[in-house]
Amino acid sequence: MKRSLILALTCAALACAGGGGSYVSNSIARGPYIDSTLSLDGQEWRFLFPQTPECAAVLRPETPVSYSSGGSFGRVKSADGTQCNPVGIGTLRRWRRARVEGEMAPSSPARWSIIHKDAQVYLLRGRFPVASRLGLANTFDVVAMVANDDVCRPIAEIGEGTLVFRQSGSRVLDLGRCPVIAVATPL
């Protein structure tokens, strides 16, 4: 299936799901991004947004929002019409492209530098070619988010490794043994 068809079907499912409404569940500043989880009619979606005054206003916890297709990762609006567009995604399994028949798990060398580190995560900016499987156009300049834990910390600090794309399962992108949490376009 093409990414645009998947996005259209996802948006239709969110619009038709009914139920709990759509709102911001959680938001935290991470480097130049706002890492936000949105509850879109009962489904949790994690996105990365630019840190702007408009996005900070839209992404306050418990703020009602609406989501629609368009752009790279959709569009988010508050009830007053203020718009904030995501520049990255964290619910990677939902953005994974369909598997090519007979294909092995693709991998590629990755190189990065650390642009942000906090108690929970690292933000790594660099070349992550296999991230193209998630619909990113320029994978030679991407930001990847990984956990700041005993598994990922040594890998993040090295600055290079192998990025593997998994066609199925809960883990989508791995840097060695370290799962990638989210990917975004640089700001």
Side-chain angles (χ1 to χ4, degrees):
M1 243 187 249
K2 291 188 176 185
R3 185 177 167 279
S4 57
L5 178 58
I6 292 170
L7 181 59
L9 292 172
T10 300
C11 291
L14 290 173
C16 296
S22 299
Y23 60 93
V24 179
S25 325
N26 185 38
S27 288
I28 186 167
R30 297 195 190 278
Y33 300 97
I34 299 173
D35 180 2
S36 246
T37 302
L38 308 180
S39 178
L40 302 175
D41 290 318
Q43 294 185 16
E44 297 290 309
W45 290 77
R46 187 174 186 178
F47 294 98
L48 297 175
F49 295 88
Q51 268 204 60
T52 64
E54 296 81 14
C55 286
V58 170
L59 299 171
R60 288 186 316 260
E62 305 303 319
T63 300
V65 294
S66 62
Y67 177 85
S68 61
S69 62
S72 295
F73 304 109
R75 301 184 193 289
V76 175
K77 279 188 185 179
S78 66
D80 70 3
T82 305
Q83 186 169 303
C84 179
N85 296 333
V87 294
I89 43 109
T91 41
L92 300 180
R93 288 189 312 180
R94 293 183 180 143
W95 291 86
R96 182 175 14 213
R97 287 200 173 166
R99 179 177 176 271
V100 175
E101 191 62 38
E103 181 180 51
M104 299 287 288
S107 65
S108 65
R111 298 181 67 88
W112 61 86
S113 58
I114 298 168
I115 62 167
H116 172 79
K117 171 180 149 182
D118 61 37
Q120 290 83 35
V121 302
Y122 281 90
L123 293 178
L124 312 173
R125 182 174 180 176
R127 297 172 63 110
F128 298 95
V130 174
S132 64
R133 297 295 181 105
L134 297 171
L136 293 168
N138 178 12
T139 57
F140 293 103
D141 192 13
V142 172
V143 175
M145 180 189 293
V146 298
N148 183 353
D149 62 17
D150 292 339
V151 173
C152 294
R153 187 178 308 109
I155 293 167
E157 298 286 342
I158 289 172
E160 62 182 27
T162 300
L163 182 67
V164 177
F165 173 79
R166 308 268 182 220
Q167 285 119 343
S168 61
S170 61
R171 290 169 68 152
V172 177
L173 293 172
D174 287 324
L175 279 171
R177 297 179 308 121
C178 174
V180 174
I181 299 168
V183 294
T185 57
L187 296 176

